[in-house]
Structures are given as C-alpha cells and as structure tokens.
Amino acid sequence: MKLIIQIPCYNEAETLTIALNDLPKHIEGIDEIEYLIINDGSKDDTVKVAKEWGVNYVVNFKRNKGLAYGFLAGLDACLKNGADIIVNTDADNQYVGKDIEKLVRPILEGKTDIVIGERPVDTTEHWSPLKKKLQHFGSWVVRKASKTDIPDAPSGFRAYSREAALRMNVINEYTYTLETIVQAGRTKIAMTSVPIRTNGELRPSRLFNSMIGYVKKSMVTILRALMMYKPLMFFCILGIIVFCMGAALGFRFLFFYFQGVGSGHIQSLILASTLMMLGFSTIVIGLQADLIAANRKILEDIQYRVRKMDCEKNDKR
C-alpha cells in the first residue's frame, strides 16, 4: 500500500520546510510513503527547498495556474507514480501532519473513498467571528447542494483512494474543495469526515483577498457545480418560478379584464407573457442541459477507464 502526500505550492519557500518536517514518515498499514509538491509558478526558492528536503516528485508549472488546476495535476502525477492513497495538505502548515493517519485510516479499513478533515472552526483563534459564520454557512450550502453531511467543506486537508482520484474532475479555476464534494455527493462516491487539528497561522491566506470576494466566488462555484451535475432540477426550478410569476400577473390581468378595466393593465399582460415564455424557455434549456449531462457522464466514464488502464500499466512496470 503506497501513500503519496501532495502539497500545492506558490511561493512557499519560507514555510514549506516546516510543513514537510511535520509530515509522517511511517503509518501502520502503509508500506511506503512518498512526497510530491506542485510548484504553481513560484518565483522564489520553493522547488530548491523541496528538493533539498528530499521530496520524491515535483510537478512544475512555469506560470501560476491556480489551486484547482494544481490539485488535479497533483492527483494525476500521484496516480502515475503508483499511489493507492493520496493525501492533499497545505504548504503553510495549517494542518497537523500527524492527523494524516486519521485521514487514511477509514480508507485503509475499506469504509470510504474520500476523507475530509474537519477543522475546529469555532475554536480557531486567528479566525474572525465573521469568517467562522461564513465557513459554517458555506458548508451548509455545500451539504444541501451535494446531499452529503460534510461539516467543513472548504477544508483542503483530505485523502482520496485511488478509485476516487481516478474519477475526480474540476472545471472551475478557483478552488477544488467545494466542487469535488458536490461531484462526489452527486455521483455517489463514498465520503466521510474526521476531526483534525490545526496549527497557528504562518501567513495570511492567498486564496482570496476579501470575505466578499471569497463568498462570491464560492457561491458561483457551487451554482456552477449544481448546474453541471443536476441541470434538469436547477433549470426546471428556475423556469417554474419565472413561469409562475408570469402566470400570477396573467391572472391579475384577467381579473381586471372581467371587471371591465382591462385596458388599463395592458403592461401587466405584456410582462406576464414575457415571463411565461422565459420560464418555458428555461425549462427547455434544462432538458437540453440534461442531455448534455448524460453525454458528460459517458465521457467521464471513458476518462476513468483510460486513467485506470494507465495506472495498471504503471503498476506492471
């Protein structure tokens, strides 16, 4: 059983050694532990620090491509190098390295395919009350969108079995954390969470510049994932709402019409007709999107089989 711990990095020379030193060297049930960094266009000595420490693999980008792209590239590299379990952690030592054993244990026991570390949000001292509330709210929205019970959706401290990693896809360029939970929940991949610890803050987060920006990007990511994995439901609900608004205005016009004063409410009739047509068109778009989603599922299955064959070839070498 081979575990590869991957760390996305962007100008992490100052903190990377601290994070690497905290990683486990041995876990019961794991035969081999290796380490991989994704250098996402760093301008400092991140790669030099990693190589001097002794990481096994470096995925190198010449320019910054974003966390989501780096995460997927790391998964792909881990699979090609024979990983049975992949753990993703941060280069700023946010998470306690010893808790990696907690992450991989449910996978080793065959209970699940994805394990997400649940941070102690309410007791994290360097987080503001607003950030804590937003974390809880965001996780609640993701739970509803994904139909899962993951309490800490934005957590990047997570473990994937080979089977789960083979099926992962991320479309947005912002972050992988939310979309992958929605994807796993909607495609019925076994997933759970375990409580983990966090360390003190070594540097401010680079994922967002403001809370408003974070909330906006997160909501767009969730909505986009929902449109991708449940398009018929999403567009039908939206279309029915718009259609019903138009129908209500139409009944209002009819009421006045039969009262003999309909000529003064022609604007309502025009707006009602427009809204009803928009609602019907939105439902039709949902039907078309559902057909596209069916083709996407076929393509994802083909991608899974190709990735699996590549892994099996690598295992035989």
Side-chain angles (χ1 to χ4, degrees), residues 183-236:
Q183 178 193 3
R186 291 294 179 175
T187 54
K188 310 298 183 183
I189 298 176
M191 180 169 49
T192 189
S193 66
V194 295
I196 52 97
R197 298 164 290 172
T198 56
N199 295 311
E201 187 177 39
L202 295 180
R203 60 160 176 77
S205 173
R206 294 172 180 163
L207 190 58
F208 56 91
N209 296 322
S210 66
M211 282 296 173
I212 295 176
Y214 171 72
V215 172
K216 183 175 68 174
K217 288 183 178 180
S218 296
M219 294 304 297
V220 170
T221 298
I222 294 169
L223 285 174
R224 189 174 181 183
L226 198 57
M227 284 190 285
M228 181 178 297
Y229 295 102
K230 283 292 179 180
L232 184 60
M233 179 193 72
F234 180 87
F235 285 105
C236 278

Side-chain angles (χ1 to χ4, degrees), residues 78-290:
C78 289
L79 290 169
K80 288 180 178 178
N81 286 286
D84 297 295
I85 301 176
I86 302 167
V87 166
N88 187 87
T89 188
D90 285 356
D92 61 356
N93 201 40
Q94 177 184 172
Y95 310 107
V96 176
K98 291 182 179 179
D99 287 343
I100 288 178
E101 183 170 3
K102 293 182 181 180
L103 290 181
V104 302
R105 188 59 53 192
I107 296 177
L108 287 172
E109 293 174 354
K111 296 179 179 179
T112 190
D113 285 307
I114 301 176
V115 183
I116 297 174
E118 177 191 353
R119 296 168 294 181
V121 173
D122 292 324
T123 58
T124 302
E125 295 181 357
H126 60 271
W127 284 7
S128 67
L130 176 60
K131 183 174 181 178
K132 293 175 182 179
K133 290 180 180 179
L134 289 174
Q135 290 284 346
H136 286 305
F137 175 71
S139 295
W140 176 81
V141 173
V142 173
R143 286 196 296 273
K144 294 301 180 181
S146 62
K147 293 188 176 181
T148 64
D149 58 356
I150 301 301
D152 186 11
S155 172
F157 195 43
R158 45 183 68 188
Y160 293 85
S161 69
R162 177 184 290 192
E163 187 70 15
L166 286 169
R167 293 190 177 277
M168 283 298 103
N169 283 296
V170 181
I171 304 301
N172 82 91
E173 298 179 356
Y174 174 55
T175 179
Y176 62 90
T177 56
L178 308 180
E179 184 178 338
T180 50
I181 291 178
V182 175
Q183 178 193 3
R186 291 294 179 175
T187 54
K188 310 298 183 183
I189 298 176
M191 180 169 49
T192 189
S193 66
V194 295
I196 52 97
R197 298 164 290 172
T198 56
N199 295 311
E201 187 177 39
L202 295 180
R203 60 160 176 77
S205 173
R206 294 172 180 163
L207 190 58
F208 56 91
N209 296 322
S210 66
M211 282 296 173
I212 295 176
Y214 171 72
V215 172
K216 183 175 68 174
K217 288 183 178 180
S218 296
M219 294 304 297
V220 170
T221 298
I222 294 169
L223 285 174
R224 189 174 181 183
L226 198 57
M227 284 190 285
M228 181 178 297
Y229 295 102
K230 283 292 179 180
L232 184 60
M233 179 193 72
F234 180 87
F235 285 105
C236 278
I237 291 175
L238 184 62
I240 289 171
I241 291 173
V242 175
F243 185 88
C244 288
M245 289 172 61
L249 285 173
F251 284 122
R252 178 177 177 274
F253 171 80
L254 290 175
F255 172 79
F256 286 114
Y257 177 80
F258 288 115
Q259 294 290 322
V261 290
S263 58
H265 298 276
I266 297 299
Q267 297 91 338
S268 297
L269 178 61
I270 296 172
L271 181 58
S273 301
T274 302
L275 289 174
M276 291 174 71
M277 286 189 292
L278 283 174
F280 180 76
S281 299
T282 303
I283 293 173
V284 172
I285 290 172
L287 293 171
Q288 294 174 333
D290 190 58

